[in-house]
Amino acid sequence: MFFTVCFVFHSFFRGMLNHALFFVLFSFDREKMTSMRSHPPDVPFPPFSGRPVTSFQENCFRFINYRDIITAPLPPMRPWIPLGHPDRNRPTCIFTVMCYNVLCDKYATRQMYGYCPSWVLKWEYRRKSILEEIRHYSADIISLQEVETEQFYNYFLPELKRDGYDGIFSPKSRAKTMAESDRRYVDGCAIFYRTAKFSLVYDHLIEFNQLALANAEGSDDMLNRVMTKDNIGLAALLETKEAAWSNGIRPDPSQIHQPLLVCTAHIHWDPQYCDVKLVQTMMLMNELKQLTQDAVGHSFRPGHNKADPSHTQLLLCGDFNSLLDSGVIEFLNSSRISANHPDFKELGYKACLQKGIANFSDKTNEFTHPFRLSTAYTTDVMPYSNYTYDFKGLIDYIFYSKNTMVPLGLLGPVDAEWFRENKVLGCPHRDIPSDHFSLLVELEMSPTYSGLGSNGFIPRR
């Protein structure tokens, strides 16, 4: 009898202790998440950690958050932040650009997003909101990541064609090795453009694993770390039409058909592979350099047999899975990076990067790319473009040629107070269909003139 009583008391107090521990941990998580929403940390967790939520976390999410999701008011409209005024004294091309990672259906699982009810994660529900958002902002150029092959051809392309767009798409490299029945579920990158303002000259797929294989030069790190990742970039060489020059001053006929190289990319996600992210980005910029040189074979102005590649302006959008202080963003923003940068992890990349992937200066021990770029978004404007339970940070970007493009305005962030007041632990959410927020910027582009050589591409010396 004595042992029976002891066992009952032991079980009772152990149960009470577990309940107490639950509420202590729960309170800590809520405080931690509130703090993260109020003050996005520099590096709270690695970008897109990819860690499935635990069963304990999932039970907590189910207990506290589902009613909040259903009863939360709509988020306030995201603000439009004006940055400048159009130049009315000369002809310029004014257009808007959207960049959006739409969260592929196969990644939107309860294991990854345990704080979301199943109906919020379902693609049939989310895709309507995604399309509504795209249509609401009605950008002239739209760059999308994580678009499933089937959804591009059967949903996004036909729907957006009704709105005056055309588009291109490519799935990730793994699609080549899969049966047709499986290939349709592979995600990739897409570019849409308004046909009234732009026409497509050609498109180009950038496969990082193939470039790694071709330039490995015996590097085990290039073969084992970079080649095994099947991320891609997708580029479209566009040509402006007369309708794009809508600021009231008609351009000279020789300036109407300007080349614009648009690229979208989805760089590898894993924070343990910052070297891979940087190498992929260097490959991307080298390929874009080659494309501008290939543009010599195309005529963009009446009476000219060729277009000077140094006059091709660049628009680079994508999910770079990299924070502002990363080697990736440093390389894109400054056009150079030290061969000893810590993101290389002291691995054996230098020889193969020198030979076929990036320009290298022995004098400065730096790799360079030939574009002058600036990012439209920084954390001062957009604290986070990716908002999940365990990570909140700016990892999506729109880069533009800063010598001939000027941002006139951009779309601001979702109201931080709305997240706090409605206990939104992360996205997707009932009213936010992806774990990423769309980026939108209005740019004013000046025409380029032969001989100036300063439109965003640094001429060779």
Side-chain angles (χ1 to χ4, degrees):
M1 180 68 179
F2 172 76
F3 290 107
T4 302
V5 172
C6 289
F7 176 78
V8 169
F9 273 96
H10 171 75
S11 300
F12 172 77
F13 283 113
R14 185 175 64 177
M16 291 297 292
L17 181 62
N18 286 340
H19 281 293
L21 180 61
F22 172 87
F23 284 109
V24 168
L25 291 175
F26 168 62
S27 300
F28 170 77
D29 271 352
R30 289 193 64 182
E31 291 174 7
K32 179 178 69 174
M33 294 309 301
T34 301
S35 173
M36 287 173 69
R37 289 196 295 273
S38 303
H39 306 284
D42 292 333
V43 188
F45 288 98
F48 193 57
S49 69
R51 291 197 304 267
V53 296
T54 64
S55 58
F56 174 79
Q57 288 174 320
E58 187 172 345
N59 287 332
C60 291
F61 295 146
R62 185 180 295 113
F63 178 72
I64 67 171
N65 206 39
Y66 285 9
R67 186 176 63 181
D68 294 333
I69 290 176
I70 296 171
T71 60
L74 291 172
M77 292 288 291
R78 293 171 62 183
W80 180 254
I81 302 173
L83 301 174
H85 300 282
D87 187 343
R88 301 299 185 188
N89 298 317
R90 59 191 177 92
T92 57
C93 174
I94 298 175
F95 58 93
T96 50
V97 184
M98 171 181 274
C99 179
Y100 198 1
N101 181 324
V102 299
L103 181 57
C104 177
D105 182 37
K106 68 174 175 289
Y107 303 144
T109 64
R110 293 278 293 124
Q111 287 71 35
M112 289 298 298
Y113 303 94
Y115 49 85
C116 293
S118 297
W119 59 270
V120 167
L121 294 174
K122 286 190 178 299
W123 178 246
E124 291 74 14
Y125 175 83
R126 294 193 300 112
R127 74 174 192 171
K128 296 176 183 176
S129 298
I130 291 168
L131 187 61
E132 286 173 2
E133 184 172 355
I134 291 172
R135 282 176 164 156
H136 173 76
Y137 293 117
S138 190
D140 298 309
I141 296 172
I142 302 166
S143 158
L144 302 180
Q145 302 85 44
E146 288 196 23
V147 179
E148 276 190 3
T149 302
E150 183 177 52
Q151 295 301 314
F152 173 81
Y153 290 107
N154 294 338
Y155 185 65
F156 287 109
L157 184 60
E159 289 289 339
L160 290 175
K161 274 193 170 184
R162 297 173 187 168
D163 299 331
Y165 295 92
D166 203 351
I168 61 172
F169 169 83
S170 183
K172 289 179 178 175
S173 301
R174 73 186 71 159
K176 293 180 177 179
T177 66
M178 303 172 76
E180 181 64 33
S181 58
D182 297 322
R183 195 179 306 154
R184 59 183 179 163
Y185 299 115
V186 177
D187 68 291
C189 296
I191 297 173
F192 294 92
Y193 55 92
R194 194 179 301 281
T195 56
K197 290 188 175 183
F198 302 97
S199 59
L200 177 67
V201 179
Y202 64 78
D203 59 85
H204 180 76
L205 171 63
I206 301 163
E207 295 183 281
F208 300 124
N209 60 357
Q210 296 302 309
L211 291 171
L213 180 61
N215 294 280
E217 297 289 336
S219 167
D220 291 338
D221 296 314
M222 185 68 82
L223 292 172
N224 296 330
R225 293 177 69 84
V226 182
M227 193 193 72
T228 54
K229 314 299 185 295
D230 70 340
N231 305 85
I232 63 166
L234 181 63
L237 184 62
L238 302 181
E239 176 181 294
T240 59
K241 295 182 177 180
E242 187 169 357
W245 305 86
S246 56
N247 72 340
I249 300 178
R250 180 181 173 85
D252 184 276
S254 66
Q255 299 175 345
I256 290 175
H257 303 289
Q258 292 284 317
L260 173 62
L261 183 60
V262 179
C263 180
T264 182
H266 193 182
I267 300 303
H268 185 61
W269 66 270
D270 193 336
Q272 301 303 316
Y273 287 81
C274 57
D275 57 312
V276 172
K277 301 182 189 195
L278 182 51
V279 171
Q280 287 182 341
T281 304
M282 295 171 75
M283 290 174 170
L284 177 68
M285 301 313 291
N286 186 62
E287 285 290 295
L288 294 178
K289 180 186 74 173
Q290 297 298 326
L291 288 178
T292 60
Q293 294 170 348
D294 292 344
V296 172
H298 297 273
S299 175
F300 294 94
R301 295 186 293 273
H304 290 71
N305 293 325
K306 63 181 181 179
D308 188 334
S310 67
H311 292 168
T312 301
Q313 307 190 69
L314 177 62
L315 187 62
L316 176 59
C317 313
D319 177 358
F320 290 88
N321 276 308
S322 303
L323 296 167
L324 274 174
D325 61 357
S326 65
V328 166
I329 306 305
E330 178 184 337
F331 181 64
L332 292 174
N333 265 332
S334 66
S335 305
R336 62 187 64 247
I337 194 163
S338 170
N340 298 324
H341 194 281
D343 280 7
F344 284 122
K345 294 191 167 188
E346 299 182 351
L347 298 176
Y349 294 116
K350 187 173 181 178
C352 43
L353 290 175
Q354 281 181 268
K355 289 186 178 180
I357 295 176
N359 296 330
F360 179 75
S361 169
D362 287 312
K363 183 177 180 180
T364 62
N365 193 37
E366 291 179 323
F367 294 105
T368 63
H369 70 75
F371 297 94
R372 294 187 180 104
L373 300 175
S374 184
T375 175
Y377 280 87
T378 64
T379 50
D380 293 337
V381 175
M382 192 89 164
Y384 30 73
S385 62
N386 182 214
Y387 193 95
T388 65
Y389 173 75
D390 63 357
F391 173 75
K392 296 166 177 61
L394 179 64
I395 59 175
D396 304 88
Y397 300 89
I398 297 177
F399 291 92
Y400 59 90
S401 295
K402 62 184 178 182
N403 284 2
T404 53
M405 293 189 199
V406 177
L408 300 179
L410 52 79
L411 187 63
V414 178
D415 183 18
E417 286 297 321
W418 179 82
F419 285 113
R420 280 193 290 270
E421 292 173 0
N422 296 284
K423 306 180 182 70
V424 178
L425 299 182
C427 298
H429 183 270
R430 182 196 66 192
D431 305 306
I432 302 174
S434 175
D435 58 341
H436 291 250
F437 304 129
S438 61
L439 307 183
L440 182 74
V441 62
E442 183 179 40
L443 293 166
E444 182 178 42
M445 182 177 74
S446 302
T448 58
Y449 298 91
S450 178
L452 294 184
S454 60
N455 65 338
F457 187 95
I458 303 174
R460 292 180 178 178
R461 292 181 175 85

